Amino acid sequence: MERQTAPDLNTAPACKAWADNMPQIIETSHQRSQKYGLSPESPPDYSPLAHNDLSLLIEQNRLLHAHAIPAMETLYQQIVNTHNMVILTDAKGVIVHSLGDDDFLEKASRVALQPGVAWSEQSRGTNAIGTAIAERSPALVHADQHYLSANHFLTCSAAPISDHLGNVVGVLDVSGDQRSYHKHTMALVRMSALMIENQLFSATFEEAITLHFHARPEFIGTLMEGIASFSPGGRFLAANRNGLFQLGLPFAALQSHTFSSLFGLPVSALYDHYRTASPGLLNLCMHSGVRVYGRAQLRLSNSVFQQSLTAERAPPANAAVAANQAAATARRLSGLRYLRTGDQQLELVIEKVTRVLGRDIPIMIMGETGTGKELLAQAIHNDSPRGMSPFVAVNCASIPETLIESELFGYEDGAFTGARKKGATGKILQANGGTLFLDEIGDMPFSLQARLLRVLQERMVTPLGSDKSIPVNVDLICATNHNLRDRMAKGLFREDLYYRLNGLVVKLPPLRERTDLETVVKKILSTESNNGRYHVSDEILRLFRRHRWPGNFRQLTNLLRTAIVMAGDEHEICLRHMPDDFLDDIEQAPVADNDTSTARIVASGANLEEMEQSVILKSLEAHGGNVSATARALGVSRNTIYRKVPNLK
């Protein structure tokens, strides 16, 4: 099957041409909507799937759902507090998951923009989700371009998500109030959809050679790279969107090729390269004569390794040992030492967790969203005696309540409608012998907390639909951005589970309180550009120090990743490489006054609630009473402002 490659919207000419073509796309979509028998004045259809049917739909799209959630969370952090929501649908346009600002989610529910509702063109007429599916390309539908009058208050930017064969498997969409539309939103959606596609591609071929390549080495590891997978013997399997573009051949023609015929290197030589102690980038010549750089992942079991003897000369028996050594090296590079960047608060955290490594003491990591809680958990695992065993992460907030029990504990064949044949192993058993990381533990459904407590105390797991208990031995790390004591007081978190998890508690400081910002920026730039060729100007660094960073390191990383692409061949990242929304936030942020006002509040003996109100009121004054601007500056939602200051009108 031949895939159609969409234009690269990261280039200005392609972006303009695509935008100029949008009116024709809208007109064609409106014509289709009329043929479906829809009326512009039709009321929204409030008929979502039943609870069980929605659970089944999510299960049927499990792989898409699992790989899309992290990208959706990252995307949401970039648009938080802008009256928008991030939406994931299946191939037919049925919403399976959404994230958004509370105030806008309520408004969106009035037009049934919620999980379980179909947003195909047949159901809703012209809209970004349905039109993206119909056109098999990104779609921007603004205000009255929507076919249904009820949807005119929306602006929606959607991009289809395709599998390795070019089939649309879902849609990623950002929908929001048309008055808050931002021109960069579509680019963010496109990049996020491409990120999901690459993740799906990598997960598709578990026993394969996967090559990441590009003509410019700094683009390897970015969204611009090509990815191609080959069988252990070198037979071509598939390539991602950018991979097909760089190879310059249709999918059908590539199926007759091998790794050697496409890149001029025998598979045996590839194995030899990765048996060296420090394998660098591959220097390859494609069939077209274009030279590219590459990095290969050899995800091969021992049996597959031996089968490759029939196609090419097999690597010697010590290749598996070399692979283990390479994995061990990677773990060391992701250890606690890697996190040391000179900040004293972080140094204290690292010192504390180092003392309890291998002591069977649960660790609780506190901190705001994006402060690197999972990165710290992974580093703790890598430096622990269990470093060579599995590290299994579970985000308790991102998995639907209907699925989290089966995700954690697993299930037997026939345990519930839609269950896989032969059942599934739960995350806890997958982590047996290693480390289980429960992220956002404060959001775990109350009904499951008792069962988790029983597993931790008895060290036995009973899958759903089974009467057999299986022994399990895991180190436990949890993380949350909630105050668990407050949730206990509200009856949302069990006290007995809290004290079972409450071994060593550490708190990661938010980025705005860190003293190592310049070092962190350099490290991120070095990682994202592979060779560290980029640096930020002094002006940008001063702006970074002023910013409150509500998304913390996740926000900073995404900002720098985009800036690298915008900078291109330039080595210094300057003001012109920054996105407009970041510059808008900087302009609206009040200039710091060395926290003297806060110090006076503390000295007055005010309680925490009074201090919060005082800070909010001062920020409101600085922003001329604009609640939205104040919320952005403080990194909270508008609802939080109204809740903390009840008399505000």
Side-chain angles (χ1 to χ4, degrees):
M1 175 180 177
E2 184 171 342
R3 289 183 58 174
Q4 297 294 320
T5 56
D8 182 3
L9 297 189
N10 293 311
T11 62
C15 236
K16 183 178 186 305
W18 178 76
D20 290 344
N21 194 39
M22 277 304 294
Q24 180 59 49
I25 293 176
I26 298 297
E27 182 179 346
T28 304
S29 175
H30 275 241
Q31 292 171 359
R32 286 194 298 264
S33 301
Q34 290 174 347
K35 291 179 180 178
Y36 296 140
L38 297 173
S39 167
E41 303 308 319
S42 298
D45 178 13
Y46 297 98
S47 54
L49 293 175
H51 187 70
N52 291 340
D53 292 333
L54 178 59
S55 299
L56 178 58
L57 181 68
I58 295 172
E59 173 65 24
Q60 291 169 341
N61 292 272
R62 175 187 288 264
L63 192 62
L64 170 66
H65 189 268
H67 289 289
I69 292 300
M72 292 178 69
E73 291 176 343
T74 300
L75 177 57
Y76 176 58
Q77 286 302 320
Q78 295 173 305
I79 63 171
V80 67
N81 296 326
T82 60
H83 306 288
N84 280 280
M85 63 188 297
V86 184
I87 296 168
L88 176 71
T89 81
D90 70 354
K92 296 180 179 179
V94 180
I95 299 175
V96 295
H97 190 64
S98 65
L99 296 168
D101 300 337
D102 292 341
D103 50 356
F104 184 74
L105 287 176
E106 180 181 351
K107 193 173 182 180
S109 67
R110 300 172 193 168
V111 291
L113 197 61
Q114 60 193 42
V117 177
W119 275 74
S120 62
E121 282 190 340
Q122 293 90 330
S123 303
R124 307 278 161 171
T126 303
N127 72 89
I129 294 170
T131 303
I133 294 174
E135 297 287 342
R136 299 174 61 84
S137 67
L140 167 63
V141 181
H142 177 61
D144 58 5
Q145 291 177 339
H146 287 87
Y147 188 75
L148 297 186
S149 300
N151 297 330
H152 285 184
F153 75 96
L154 295 169
T155 289
C156 307
S157 305
I161 301 167
S162 301
D163 64 12
H164 66 286
L165 296 175
N167 302 314
V168 174
V169 296
V171 173
L172 184 67
D173 169 84
V174 168
S175 291
D177 191 312
Q178 56 100 354
R179 294 171 298 180
S180 61
Y181 165 65
H182 199 288
K183 61 184 179 180
H184 290 298
T185 302
M186 176 55 83
L188 293 173
V189 172
R190 288 271 288 108
M191 291 173 64
S192 300
L194 186 57
M195 188 184 305
I196 297 169
E197 283 188 3
N198 288 350
Q199 291 290 331
L200 287 172
F201 183 91
S202 297
T204 300
F205 303 101
E206 296 181 351
E207 295 286 352
I209 300 166
T210 300
L211 179 71
H212 301 253
F213 62 98
H214 199 281
R216 293 171 58 175
E218 65 268 24
F219 283 161
I220 295 176
T222 72
L223 293 178
M224 308 296 288
E225 70 177 356
I227 308 176
S229 286
F230 301 83
S231 71
R235 178 174 55 84
F236 175 82
L237 297 174
N240 74 336
R241 192 185 300 266
N242 284 335
L244 289 174
F245 178 77
Q246 293 186 55
L247 289 168
L249 292 173
F251 183 78
L254 286 168
Q255 288 182 303
S256 63
H257 277 273
T258 64
F259 181 88
S260 178
S261 65
L262 288 173
F263 293 100
L265 185 73
V267 173
S268 58
L270 179 70
Y271 290 146
D272 289 341
H273 176 78
Y274 282 99
R275 284 203 307 273
T276 61
S278 301
L281 288 179
L282 294 158
N283 194 329
L284 304 167
C285 183
M286 294 201 300
H287 65 98
S288 60
V290 176
R291 300 206 70 86
V292 296
Y293 296 88
R295 178 183 293 118
Q297 293 175 300
L298 309 180
R299 289 180 288 187
L300 311 173
S301 66
N302 290 336
S303 60
V304 175
F305 224 79
Q306 295 303 320
Q307 290 168 10
S308 66
L309 285 167
T310 59
E312 303 244 12
R313 177 176 62 83
N318 65 353
V321 176
N324 286 337
Q325 291 174 344
T329 301
R331 287 185 173 90
R332 286 196 298 272
L333 291 175
S334 300
L336 292 167
R337 185 171 62 178
Y338 174 81
L339 301 180
R340 295 182 184 274
T341 49
D343 181 78
Q344 290 302 310
Q345 295 180 80
L346 185 60
E347 285 290 329
L348 184 59
V349 169
I350 294 174
E351 180 183 347
K352 288 180 178 178
V353 298
T354 301
R355 291 177 180 271
V356 301
L357 290 178
R359 301 294 184 90
D360 195 24
I361 295 176
I363 298 174
M364 175 73 73
I365 305 172
M366 311 288 286
E368 295 177 6
T369 298
T371 49
K373 297 188 287 294
E374 182 167 356
L375 186 64
L376 175 61
Q378 179 74 68
I380 293 170
H381 166 76
N382 291 344
D383 281 1
S384 76
R386 299 175 183 251
M388 299 300 292
S389 299
F391 174 84
V392 178
V394 180
N395 189 314
C396 300
S398 66
I399 302 175
E401 185 171 345
T402 54
L403 289 181
I404 191 169
E405 187 173 18
S406 60
E407 281 283 330
L408 277 177
F409 306 107
Y411 56 84
E412 293 290 327
D413 184 11
F416 55 87
T417 301
R420 296 177 185 171
K421 290 184 178 180
K422 299 182 181 179
T425 303
K427 298 292 188 183
I428 296 177
L429 283 176
Q430 290 176 28
N432 192 23
T435 301
L436 177 67
F437 174 55
L438 297 178
D439 197 9
E440 305 298 352
I441 185 68
D443 292 297
M444 174 173 279
F446 191 87
S447 59
L448 293 186
Q449 294 175 21
R451 188 167 181 196
L452 175 63
L453 176 63
R454 189 161 60 250
V455 169
L456 297 178
Q457 290 177 335
E458 300 174 2
R459 296 181 180 264
M460 302 285 285
V461 173
T462 306
L464 294 177
S466 174
D467 56 0
K468 296 181 180 179
S469 296
I470 306 171
V472 65
N473 178 16
V474 297
D475 271 351
L476 187 65
I477 304 176
C478 297
T480 182
N481 57 6
H482 289 295
N483 184 321
L484 293 185
R485 290 185 180 275
D486 287 348
R487 292 184 74 78
M488 285 162 50
K490 296 174 182 177
L492 299 175
F493 202 85
R494 293 180 63 97
E495 184 175 0
D496 47 3
L497 178 59
Y498 173 81
Y499 288 110
R500 178 63 181 80
L501 302 175
N502 193 32
L504 172 67
V505 178
V506 294
K507 184 175 182 180
L508 286 177
L511 181 56
R512 60 184 173 273
E513 294 178 9
R514 296 272 294 252
T515 59
D516 55 350
L517 179 61
E518 186 172 359
T519 303
V520 169
V521 169
K522 289 179 180 178
K523 181 165 286 194
I524 293 174
L525 287 174
S526 177
T527 301
E528 293 299 325
S529 63
N530 292 300
N531 56 10
R533 63 188 289 254
Y534 294 96
H535 66 276
V536 299
S537 66
D538 292 339
E539 180 184 19
I540 292 297
L541 197 57
R542 284 194 296 271
L543 293 181
F544 281 1
R545 291 194 176 103
R546 279 184 55 192
H547 196 44
R548 287 190 57 81
W549 299 110
N552 290 294
F553 294 93
R554 186 180 294 122
Q555 181 184 5
L556 175 62
T557 300
N558 283 312
L559 183 70
L560 291 174
R561 184 180 295 147
T562 304
I564 288 171
V565 175
M566 298 299 293
D569 292 329
E570 300 177 51
H571 289 226
E572 185 175 76
I573 293 174
C574 305
L575 199 62
R576 62 180 176 275
H577 303 137
M578 292 291 106
D580 292 348
D581 54 346
F582 170 77
L583 298 178
D584 290 343
D585 288 345
I586 289 294
E587 288 178 0
Q588 295 170 358
V591 179
D593 60 357
N594 297 323
D595 292 323
T596 53
S597 60
T598 303
R600 285 195 295 270
I601 296 170
V602 173
S604 70
N607 61 33
L608 182 59
E609 184 176 352
E610 292 169 338
M611 290 172 62
E612 287 178 336
Q613 286 189 359
S614 178
V615 170
I616 291 172
L617 290 172
K618 288 183 178 296
S619 184
L620 279 167
E621 182 181 353
H623 290 92
N626 188 315
V627 176
S628 296
T630 299
R632 283 196 297 270
L634 296 178
V636 298
S637 69
R638 296 171 76 254
N639 286 347
T640 300
I641 299 293
Y642 286 115
R643 188 174 68 253
K644 297 291 185 181
V645 188
N647 297 327
L648 187 64
K649 296 182 179 179

